[in-house]
């Protein structure tokens, strides 16, 4: 039954209503146009609502209707390849209904309710099912099989199940208690979807980005933050992860950021191939775009919409990765709403519950045994946009308390076009150890040593740089000068990676290993040569060194590396013979 | 005619609090009649059954509790027409040029609706500004929002004017229409712009909105919205390519801060409202290109960084929204270099889609990256030399040091009327890079070195000529 109240006050996206008896987080329809809103506070007889659309022109006295339903998303086939706003309205549908500019008062459901899907059951009459079990499959895109799940809160015995072509509204079967089975179900976005139990993250998410995979790896089901000032590369790195990481499903949330960036993704993803399957990247992707100029309450909701969709695919047994660009804009949306509510502000005007909300969100990441006894994961990577690039601000600090990987972007590196501008001295990954076993088995038993040698070299470089700042590089002894040169090679030939270069953009894990090994081996040879009397100037001028610089632009590196290392041997031999 | 209320209960700064009204819509336009018969305009900021809060654009000077308040029942609109071109209007859209009232072809809401991201076409058409540091290293494209971050006393106006004069899309005939919005700048500065527009004949294809330093600060909150509405009309209805110059965004933000203080809001960082990011986004995001439509809106706004501090909330929040920034350097200016653009903190985020084969030249990205790396390294060494002296540098380092000087003197520096085409800019870049040893050019693919490096170029010339014949 619908309860009708009326508007008392409108202040931007926050509307106060009288005479409705709604529950917290119920969806309500506000005003004559029925704008969508959500109950976010109840004070005496006043109900406080955040409205997901522009409230211009709405007047006190207009009606408010409680739908009695919490804010939910539609989960079923057709999510992939979609682009949604923060409350799961498909942007192409909004365009069709209201043109190139987003007007208000238009509702649109998340899934296409007319589209027919080929459903193949995997259960039969008499089967006893628990919540979250698979009842059948639909081929959703070229490569993704959509497992139709019984909603987590439903269980029973199958009374009827049909194979055939259905829309998401059609009844595909029944349980013995009469519950209708469909291809889709609803789930409230603010409630984490349940799993059987969480598992330790022991498998790396391979990203094809050398500084990530090589030095600061992320695990499938792990959490990472990319903080950095504007222009340091948050978005490019998030997009690189969305393109190249070896997740099976990608949920990309443009939360309060630029419209053109989303247009760019929409343009590019259908053209790019998933390196693992060769299928267009878009086929594994769900986009959520609630840009900075779209309503701020819907921005607040966008991360919940995104993570719920991610959990849904995890529940089918997929490895999902979710990028949120930027979580700071989400936090700011909370702040804007909170200040309209005249709540007591915490640090820098953010609501006191900021830390709790961030923790709840990242807690929804993880590798898990699903209700259907499969394994799936949700990896969460959040960009953080600290004001003035100052990492001591509340969003960065509260995020760092939760996430396990910290990829610190550095304006100074970005300014000199060292990309990715990840600071190798301040970044860290707490997954290193847990993942070592995987690297030993799948890449090489040398890998962990290579990594720690590289880190040591870079540390040593930083120490030497401090001295150089005081006395100049010429004053350093030869062996230290050589150390600096080898470290430079690691930085320029390995850590730098151009996202816009066809080949360099994605570097397979095995190539990363080979490249790093080649550089460090060259370095060892150089040290030997120096010891046998060669000069730093001559070593640095060797052609094999320049050749190493360009390896990252080569597709087939085996042959190239072979030539380079042969050349290196010849050159070093010549160097030492000269003496 | 809407009902008139004489129930102002309180006046505080630019705000009035009106009591006992019939239901009033959020964001409605309000007309307030003073005792002398003059009318001020305002907008509803907060509305409830008991009290309505209105911000008054022309300021509350002269208002009292007897002033008559009329709620118009609609949000603020700009009368739009192609006749806007060539006109000079006030910061609230009234003609200042003595010309006739604008006969509207339509009336558009000035808040502007968000472009559906799905309708956006990624901007990719290279705009040649003729300025090397921009074209070569921070390329502007049609539909981009690229502000100038400057400081007081720096030549940002000259640069903006030079861009407005020289900007062109190669191979396209149409000239840009210019929408110029002044917010809180001095009348002298405004004159400077007007003079140049007239001198070059740009005024005919320009619309000017002026809110000067002595005009009410609250009016600044609507001036850029009027300008952008005019720009959108010209772009999307009249199919023009529009260049919008908003200056000075800092004054806009100060007005926003004043309003927040008047409303006794909890301030965010350094006293600026917590919603300043969202508010600025509602302006900057109104740049773009829409699929299937001919026109476009490109934004080139100017903001002065208080205390030359790029981390100040105004440049900081702007930089988080705009598609890059052109940063003016006081140091280069003091050295007598025009345009004193510091490329290191400057950025064009859309550069990559606007350059390359078929747009500018295949080697563009690599040259730009290498110039960046070289200049950055040279500047570091300059810092080092100050401490340890030139003698402590290696031969390699000395080359980089010289490179930085050359770069500033030859690449950055150019005349106010000097219009370099992109080929000239890139070739100049190569000429400078050729002073470094080839082995140092690690950002550049060998194939480009072989084709464009001056040392190889002469060698290649004959073969190229032969093959094109
Ligand atoms: N990995 C990369 N390779 C090449 N260029 C990059 C890379 N990362 C960042 N950039 C450059 O830096 C610019 C800003 O990056 P972006 O991700 O938009 O910054 P942020 O989101 O932190 O503001 C990009 O437009 C691009 O030119
Ligand atoms: Mg970004």
């Amino acid at each position: 039954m619908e309860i009708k109240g009326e508007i008392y006050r409108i202040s931007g996206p926050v509307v106060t209503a009288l005479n409705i008896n709604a529950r917290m987080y119920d969806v309500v329809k506000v005003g004559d146009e029925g704008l969508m809103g959500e109950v976010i506070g109840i004070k005496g007889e006043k109900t406080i609502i955040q409205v997901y659309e522009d409230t211009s022109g709405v007047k006190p006295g207009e009606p408010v209707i409680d739908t009695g339903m919490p804010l939910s998303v539609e989960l079923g086939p057709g999510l992939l390849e979609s682009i949604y706003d923060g409350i799961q309205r498909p942007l192409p549908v909004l365009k069709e209904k209201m043109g190139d500019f987003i007007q208000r008062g238009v509702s649109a459901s998340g899934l296409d309710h007319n589209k027919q899907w080929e459903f193949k059951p995997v259960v039969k009459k008499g089967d006893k099912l628990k919540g979250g079990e698979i009842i059948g499959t639909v081929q959703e895109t070229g490569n993704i099989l959509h497992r139709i799940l019984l909603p987590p809160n439903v269980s029973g015995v199958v009374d009827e199940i049909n194979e055939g072509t259905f829309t998401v509204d059609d009844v595909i079967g029944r349980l013995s208690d009469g519950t209708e089975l469909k291809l889709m179900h609803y789930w409230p976005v603010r409630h984490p979807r349940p799993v059987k139990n969480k598992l330790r993250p022991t498998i790396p998410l391979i990203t094809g980005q050398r500084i990530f995979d090589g030095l600061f790896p992320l695990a499938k089901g792990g959490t990472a933050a990319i903080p950095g000032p504007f222009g340091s590369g948050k978005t490019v790195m998030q997009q690189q992860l969305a393109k190249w990481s070896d997740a099976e499903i990608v949920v990309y949330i443009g939360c309060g950021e630029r419209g053109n960036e989303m247009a760019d993704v929409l343009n590019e993803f259908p053209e790019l191939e998933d390196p693992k399957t060769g299928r267009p990247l878009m086929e594994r992707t769900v986009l959520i775009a609630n840009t900075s100029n779209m309503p701020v309450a819907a921005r607040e909701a966008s991360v919940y919409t995104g993570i719920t969709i991610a959990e849904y695919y995890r529940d089918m047994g997929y490895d999902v990765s979710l990028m949120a660009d930027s979580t700071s804009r989400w936090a700011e949306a909370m702040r804007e709403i909170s200040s309209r509510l005249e709540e007591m502000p915490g640090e820098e005007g953010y609501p006191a519950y900021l830390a709790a909300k961030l923790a709840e969100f990242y807690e929804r990441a993880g590798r898990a045994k699903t209700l259907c006894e499969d394994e799936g994961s949700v990896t969460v990577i959040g960009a953080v946009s600290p004001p003035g690039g100052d990492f001591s601000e509340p969003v960065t600090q509260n995020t760092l308390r939760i996430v396990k990987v910290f990829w610190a972007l550095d304006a100074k590196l970005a300014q000199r076009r060292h990309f990715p501008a990840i600071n190798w001295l301040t970044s860290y990954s707490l997954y290193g150890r847990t993942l070592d076993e995987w690297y030993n088995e799948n890449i090489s038993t040398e890998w962990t040593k290579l990594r720690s040698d590289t880190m040591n070299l870079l540390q040593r470089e930083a120490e030497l740089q401090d001295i150089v700042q005081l006395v100049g590089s010429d004053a350093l002894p030869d062996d230290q000068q050589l150390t600096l040169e080898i470290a430079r090679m690691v930085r320029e030939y390995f850590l730098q990676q151009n996202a816009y270069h066809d080949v360099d953009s994605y570097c397979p894990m095995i190539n990363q290993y080979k490249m790093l090994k080649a550089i460090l081996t060259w370095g060892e040879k150089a040290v030997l040569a120096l010891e046998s009397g060669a000069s730093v100037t001559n070593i640095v001028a060797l052609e094999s060194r320049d050749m190493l610089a360009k390896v990252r632009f080569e597709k087939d590196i085996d042959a190239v590396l072979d030539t380079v290392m042969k050349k290196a041997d010849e050159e070093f031999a010549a160097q030492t013979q000269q003496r | 005619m809407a009902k008139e209320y004489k129930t102002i209960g309180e006046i505080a700064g630019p705000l009035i609090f009106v009591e006992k009204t019939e239901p009033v819509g959020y964001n409605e336009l309000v007309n307030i009649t003073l005792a002398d018969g003059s009318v001020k305009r305002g907008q509803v900021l907060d509305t409830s059954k008991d009290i309505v809060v209105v911000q008054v654009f022309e300021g509350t000077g002269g208002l009292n509790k007897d002033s008559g308040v009329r709620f118009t029942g609609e949000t603020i609109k700009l009368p739009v027409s192609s006749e806007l071109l060539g006109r000079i209007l006030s910061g609230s859209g009234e003609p200042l040029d003595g010309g006739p009232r604008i006969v509207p072809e339509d009336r558009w809401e000035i808040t502007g609706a968000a472009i559906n991201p799905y309708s956006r076409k990624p901007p990719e058409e290279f705009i040649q500004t003729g300025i090397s540091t921009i074209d070569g290293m921070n390329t502007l494209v049609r539909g981009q929002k690229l502000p100038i971050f400057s400081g007081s006393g720096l030549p940002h106006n000259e640069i903006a004017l030079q861009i407005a004069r020289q900007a062109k899309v190669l191979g396209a005939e149409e000239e840009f229409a210019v929408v110029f919005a002044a917010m809180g700048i001095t009348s002298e500065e405004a004159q400077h712009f007007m003079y140049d527009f007239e001198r070059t004949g740009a005024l005919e294809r320009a619309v000017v909105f002026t809110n000067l330093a002595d005009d009410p600060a609250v009016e600044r909150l609507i001036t850029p919205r009027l300008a952008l509405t005019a720009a959108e009309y010209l772009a999307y209805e009249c199919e023009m390519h529009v260049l919008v110059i908003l200056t000075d965004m800092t004054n806009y933000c100060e007005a926003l801060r004043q309003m927040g203080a008047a409303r006794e809001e909890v301030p965010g960082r350094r006293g600026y409202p917590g919603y300043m990011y969202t508010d600025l986004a509602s302006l900057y995001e109104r740049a773009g290109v829409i699929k299937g439509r001919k026109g476009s809106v490109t934004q080139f706004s100017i903001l002065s960084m208080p205390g030359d501090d790029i981390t100040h909330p105004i440049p900081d929040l702007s930089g988080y929204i705009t598609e890059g920034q052109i940063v003016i350097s006081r140091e280069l200016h003091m050295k007598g270099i025009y345009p004193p653009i510091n490329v290191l903190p400057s950025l064009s985020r859309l550069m990559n889609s606007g350059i390359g084969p078929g747009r500018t030249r295949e080697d563009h990205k690599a040259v730009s990256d290498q110039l960046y790396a070289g200049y950055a390294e040279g500047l570091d060494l300059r810092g080092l030399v100050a401490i340890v002296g030139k003698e402590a540098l290696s031969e390699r380092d000395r080359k980089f040091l010289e490179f930085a000087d050359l770069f500033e003197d030859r690449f950055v520096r150019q005349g106010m009327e000097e219009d370099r085409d992109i080929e000239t800019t890139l070739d100049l870049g190569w000429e400078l890079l050729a002073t470094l040893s080839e082995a140092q050019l690690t950002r550049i693919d060998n194939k480009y070195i072989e084709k464009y490096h001056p040392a190889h170029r002469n060698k290649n010339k004959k073969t190229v000529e032969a093959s094109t014949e």
Side-chain angles (χ1 to χ4, degrees):
Chain A
M1 197 201 72
E2 284 182 343
I3 305 171
K4 210 165 176 169
E6 63 169 328
I7 298 178
Y8 166 73
R9 174 184 175 191
I10 302 117
S11 171
V14 174
V15 166
T16 311
L18 294 173
N19 307 326
I20 52 168
N21 191 14
R23 291 169 305 178
M24 275 299 272
Y25 304 122
D26 271 1
V27 170
V28 292
K29 299 275 173 186
V30 176
D32 295 332
E33 292 176 72
L35 307 182
M36 193 167 157
E38 182 186 9
V39 175
I40 55 164
I42 295 167
K43 285 186 193 162
E45 71 253 35
K46 287 181 182 156
T47 301
I48 324 262
I49 298 158
Q50 65 175 354
V51 180
Y52 294 125
E53 298 179 79
D54 177 32
T55 53
S56 292
V58 177
K59 293 189 173 105
E62 289 184 21
V64 177
I65 297 165
D66 180 14
T67 65
M69 280 266 288
L71 183 66
S72 303
V73 282
E74 294 188 351
L75 300 173
L79 288 166
L80 294 176
E81 297 182 280
S82 293
I83 175 164
Y84 295 119
D85 74 352
I87 48 174
Q88 210 204 5
R89 297 186 303 176
L91 293 177
V93 176
L94 295 189
K95 175 178 164 151
E96 208 172 286
K97 289 194 175 180
M98 51 193 178
D100 292 329
F101 294 87
I102 296 189
Q103 312 294 339
R104 60 185 198 193
V106 175
S107 54
S109 41
L111 297 175
D112 183 342
H113 286 240
N114 297 319
K115 184 159 181 178
Q116 306 267 341
W117 300 95
E118 202 70 44
F119 173 71
K120 292 204 184 81
V122 297
V123 294
K124 53 186 188 311
K125 187 176 160 95
D127 283 356
K128 217 171 143 213
L129 299 182
K130 296 193 299 282
E133 275 193 71
I134 301 172
I135 56 176
T137 60
V138 157
Q139 192 68 44
E140 185 174 4
T141 61
N143 220 42
I144 300 293
L145 193 65
H146 194 110
R147 306 192 171 110
I148 306 297
L149 305 175
L150 201 61
N153 46 6
V154 173
S155 59
V157 177
V158 179
D159 187 40
E160 178 197 338
I161 187 98
N162 301 306
E163 179 162 353
T165 311
F166 302 102
T167 68
V168 292
D169 288 326
D170 291 337
V171 176
I172 56 171
R174 272 191 185 74
L175 296 182
S176 55
D177 64 359
T179 307
E180 290 179 345
L181 301 177
K182 293 183 180 176
L183 295 181
M184 64 159 276
H185 65 265
Y186 291 92
W187 191 263
V189 297
R190 296 186 197 274
H191 286 270
R193 288 174 61 90
V195 292
K196 187 121 186 267
N197 56 278
K198 287 220 169 170
L199 302 169
R200 228 163 66 93
T202 51
I203 304 166
L205 181 81
I206 301 297
T207 66
Q209 309 303 303
R210 291 186 291 266
I211 188 154
F212 292 166
D213 298 341
L215 299 187
F216 310 110
L218 174 58
K220 291 204 170 95
T223 49
I226 315 185
F230 62 83
S232 57
K234 296 178 295 296
T235 303
V236 172
M237 290 327 286
Q238 291 273 43
Q239 293 188 358
Q240 287 293 91
L241 291 167
K243 285 177 196 166
W244 309 128
S245 67
D246 67 343
E248 291 160 296
I249 305 286
V250 168
V251 178
Y252 190 96
I253 312 173
C255 174
E257 293 280 318
R258 303 180 183 85
N260 278 333
E261 290 175 347
M262 297 314 291
D264 214 35
V265 172
L266 276 173
N267 220 31
E268 213 183 355
F269 274 37
E271 309 284 314
L272 290 172
E273 273 179 16
D274 179 348
K276 217 165 84 173
T277 62
R279 304 286 311 180
L281 275 180
M282 203 59 203
E283 288 189 358
R284 64 167 199 186
T285 310
V286 184
L287 296 175
I288 294 171
N290 210 97
T291 55
S292 54
N293 55 341
M294 286 160 74
V296 14
R299 188 202 300 172
E300 192 274 335
S302 66
V303 298
Y304 294 101
T305 298
I307 194 122
T308 307
I309 293 172
E311 286 174 338
Y312 175 60
Y313 281 95
R314 171 206 62 198
D315 290 348
M316 295 178 211
Y318 287 116
D319 288 318
V320 186
S321 55
L322 175 140
M323 291 90 201
D325 185 15
S326 153
T327 58
S328 294
R329 306 303 165 215
W330 167 46
E332 284 167 8
M334 284 192 255
R335 175 168 73 181
E336 272 180 49
I337 306 282
S338 158
S339 86
R340 298 268 187 181
L341 297 178
E342 285 152 24
E343 284 173 344
M344 188 65 149
E347 237 183 315
E348 292 195 15
Y350 287 104
Y353 45 79
L354 172 72
K357 294 277 181 190
L358 285 168
E360 279 168 26
F361 170 66
Y362 283 104
E363 195 49 35
R364 291 175 76 168
R367 183 160 157 257
K369 176 147 274 177
T370 63
L371 295 179
C372 63
E373 303 284 338
D374 205 337
E375 267 179 40
S377 65
V378 175
T379 311
V380 173
I381 303 130
V384 185
S385 318
D390 174 5
F391 288 0
S392 68
E393 59 91 37
V395 182
T396 315
Q397 284 304 311
N398 284 309
T399 304
L400 288 186
R401 241 165 259 150
I402 312 159
V403 299
K404 298 283 192 296
V405 175
F406 174 51
W407 290 322
L409 287 165
D410 189 325
K412 272 189 81 179
L413 290 173
Q415 285 193 7
R416 58 188 48 228
R417 273 41 178 184
H418 172 109
F419 289 122
I422 309 273
N423 184 317
W424 51 89
L425 296 172
T426 52
S427 299
Y428 60 80
S429 162
L430 301 181
Y431 294 113
R433 290 258 158 71
T434 14
L435 301 177
D436 280 352
E437 203 174 315
W438 187 94
Y439 287 112
N440 280 339
E441 273 169 32
N442 294 278
I443 302 300
S444 160
T445 47
E446 284 175 288
W447 176 252
T448 44
K449 176 156 189 315
L450 273 183
R451 181 171 64 207
S452 63
D453 286 353
T454 306
M455 282 310 289
N456 290 341
L457 178 63
L458 292 169
Q459 286 288 350
R460 181 84 186 115
E461 180 194 31
E463 292 160 19
L464 292 176
Q465 284 295 359
D466 285 346
I467 303 174
V468 169
Q469 288 308 310
L470 298 173
V471 298
S473 57
D474 258 14
L476 289 186
D478 282 355
D479 62 326
Q480 296 188 351
Q481 286 193 28
L482 186 60
T483 305
L484 285 181
E485 290 298 340
I486 299 168
R488 185 204 299 280
M489 289 165 72
V490 170
R491 283 191 283 113
E492 293 186 359
Y493 309 169
F494 184 77
L495 295 185
Q496 281 186 14
Q497 192 169 358
N498 183 353
Y500 299 99
H501 191 282
D502 295 346
V503 176
D504 200 24
S505 185
Y506 169 74
C507 187
M509 193 64 223
I510 191 71
N511 289 9
Q512 300 187 27
Y513 162 71
K514 289 175 183 163
M515 282 169 69
L516 192 56
K517 187 169 153 84
I519 294 169
L520 293 190
T521 309
W522 191 95
E524 283 163 17
K525 290 181 201 286
V527 171
L528 289 178
L530 185 75
E531 281 166 4
S532 10
S535 77
V536 176
T537 328
N538 285 346
I539 292 176
V540 169
L542 294 182
E543 214 184 315
S544 55
R545 184 167 181 262
D546 299 340
M547 288 162 79
L548 268 177
K550 310 280 164 93
V551 173
R552 59 200 185 101
F553 301 125
E554 302 290 340
K555 209 159 188 148
D556 180 14
I557 68 164
D558 287 339
V560 181
L561 278 178
D562 221 41
T563 325
V564 176
M565 293 321 274
K566 276 205 189 101
K567 177 93 187 166
D569 284 336
E570 283 165 25
E571 286 182 326
F572 282 120
Q575 283 295 314
T576 37
Q577 269 157 26
Q578 272 171 21
R579 307 279 116 196
Chain B
M1 187 79 198
K3 184 172 167 191
E4 186 175 69
Y5 296 97
K6 300 223 173 203
T7 54
I8 298 180
E10 191 187 331
I11 304 177
L15 303 181
I16 59 175
F17 297 77
V18 190
E19 295 162 3
K20 298 190 233 36
T21 63
E22 318 244 292
V24 169
Y26 176 69
N27 261 348
E28 250 181 48
L29 174 66
V30 185
N31 289 323
I32 305 135
T33 312
L34 277 58
D36 65 2
S38 64
V39 177
K40 293 190 181 225
R41 298 195 302 168
Q43 185 179 18
V44 174
L45 287 187
D46 195 327
T47 171
S48 75
K49 296 206 144 177
D50 304 323
I51 211 154
V52 177
V53 185
V54 178
Q55 70 179 6
V56 184
F57 292 123
E58 288 95 346
T60 47
L63 257 75
N64 63 13
K65 290 194 170 191
D66 296 332
S67 304
V69 181
R70 278 204 170 87
F71 298 97
T72 61
E74 60 168 33
T75 48
I76 306 180
K77 297 197 167 78
L78 175 74
V80 285
S81 146
S82 52
E83 311 267 290
L84 279 168
L85 286 176
R87 299 300 304 267
I88 302 173
L89 309 168
S90 76
S92 50
E94 303 298 323
L96 285 184
D97 52 6
R101 286 201 73 82
I102 287 141
V103 184
E105 279 151 37
D106 204 348
R107 296 173 71 247
W108 282 23
E109 287 214 25
I110 68 160
T111 39
I115 302 176
N116 185 331
Y118 185 74
S119 296
R120 281 185 186 266
K121 181 168 174 282
E124 55 179 14
E125 282 159 309
F126 166 59
I127 298 178
Q128 181 176 294
T129 67
I131 297 177
S132 291
T133 38
I134 298 178
D135 296 351
M137 302 178 72
N138 295 285
T139 318
L140 174 68
V141 295
R142 203 137 77 173
Q144 183 170 11
K145 40 191 181 289
L146 187 66
I148 300 183
F149 285 10
S150 187
S152 47
L154 296 177
H156 41 261
N157 293 342
E158 279 70 25
I159 298 174
L161 281 168
Q162 186 171 4
I163 290 165
R165 276 196 309 270
Q166 298 180 173
K168 56 180 145 306
V169 169
L170 299 180
E173 288 305 307
E174 332 91 290
E175 279 184 290
F176 281 98
V178 175
V179 172
F180 177 78
M183 292 166 285
I185 64 173
T186 62
S187 59
E188 196 186 318
E189 276 180 288
Q191 285 308 320
H192 185 62
F193 275 99
M194 300 309 301
Y195 171 76
D196 205 75
F197 287 156
E198 272 171 42
R199 175 175 76 93
T200 59
L203 195 56
E204 279 167 44
R205 43 183 181 92
V207 192
V208 176
F209 292 86
T210 48
N211 165 288
L212 297 181
D214 54 356
D215 288 330
V218 260
E219 189 182 87
R220 279 163 218 163
L221 299 180
I222 57 171
T223 308
R225 297 188 160 83
L226 296 170
L228 287 163
T229 306
E232 282 167 357
Y233 183 80
L234 295 174
Y236 305 131
E237 288 297 315
C238 310
E239 307 198 324
M240 294 176 176
H241 294 289
V242 186
L243 187 67
V244 182
I245 303 175
L246 306 172
T247 181
D248 179 327
M249 287 303 291
T250 299
N251 296 330
Y252 171 84
C253 294
E254 293 303 342
L256 207 60
R257 173 160 77 163
Q258 272 179 29
M259 287 304 307
R263 294 172 66 184
E264 295 175 3
E265 291 164 348
V266 183
R269 200 163 146 258
R270 295 208 220 169
Y272 292 88
Y275 49 80
M276 193 155 90
Y277 174 84
T278 305
D279 187 279
L280 284 173
S282 74
L283 301 178
Y284 291 133
E285 277 289 317
R286 291 173 78 174
V289 189
I290 294 179
K291 280 186 233 164
R293 300 200 188 208
K294 252 193 99 204
S296 63
V297 176
T298 308
Q299 269 186 41
F300 210 82
S301 28
I302 298 171
L303 67 82
S304 43
M305 300 183 277
D308 289 348
D309 175 9
I310 199 169
T311 69
H312 182 281
I314 298 172
D316 189 53
L317 293 178
S318 297
Y320 270 120
I321 305 164
T322 56
E323 280 137 359
Q325 65 279 338
I326 301 294
V327 181
I328 313 282
S329 145
R330 196 168 294 278
E331 202 190 318
L332 288 175
H333 180 62
M334 304 286 257
K335 278 192 184 172
I337 293 176
Y338 175 90
I341 293 173
N342 183 358
V343 294
L344 293 187
S346 299
L347 169 71
S348 164
R349 294 161 187 272
L350 303 183
M351 174 166 177
N352 290 303
S353 33
I355 64 172
R359 301 185 193 283
T360 54
R361 219 168 69 181
E362 56 183 352
D363 58 328
H364 192 154
K365 171 82 178 138
V367 169
S368 160
D369 282 352
Q370 194 67 62
L371 287 170
Y372 264 109
Y375 183 53
E377 177 130 26
L379 284 194
D380 280 353
L381 291 164
R382 215 183 258 173
L384 185 59
V385 164
I387 306 168
V388 300
K390 235 183 191 157
E391 304 70 41
L393 294 191
S394 62
E395 179 57 28
R396 172 192 179 278
D397 288 358
R398 235 166 283 167
K399 281 263 164 57
F400 274 96
L401 190 65
E402 279 159 26
F403 174 80
D405 293 336
L406 269 180
F407 178 79
E408 287 174 2
D409 199 46
R410 306 251 335 260
F411 195 86
V412 180
R413 189 200 297 277
Q414 69 183 84
M416 245 175 237
E417 302 285 335
E418 185 182 350
D419 192 354
R420 292 185 192 153
D421 65 21
I422 184 65
E423 289 278 334
T424 309
T425 289
L426 291 176
D427 290 347
L428 182 56
W430 275 109
E431 211 179 296
L432 301 183
L433 290 175
T435 65
L436 299 172
S437 107
E438 234 173 82
Q440 303 298 341
L441 307 183
T442 55
R443 307 292 179 103
I444 310 182
D445 255 332
N446 287 338
K447 57 178 183 212
Y448 299 141
I449 295 191
E450 274 154 30
K451 190 156 167 197
Y452 296 101
H453 192 293
H456 296 263
R457 217 172 178 170
N458 299 332
K459 216 167 44 194
N460 290 343
K461 224 171 197 155
K462 288 187 193 94
T463 30
V464 172
E465 273 164 13
S467 67
T468 46
E469 266 165 27

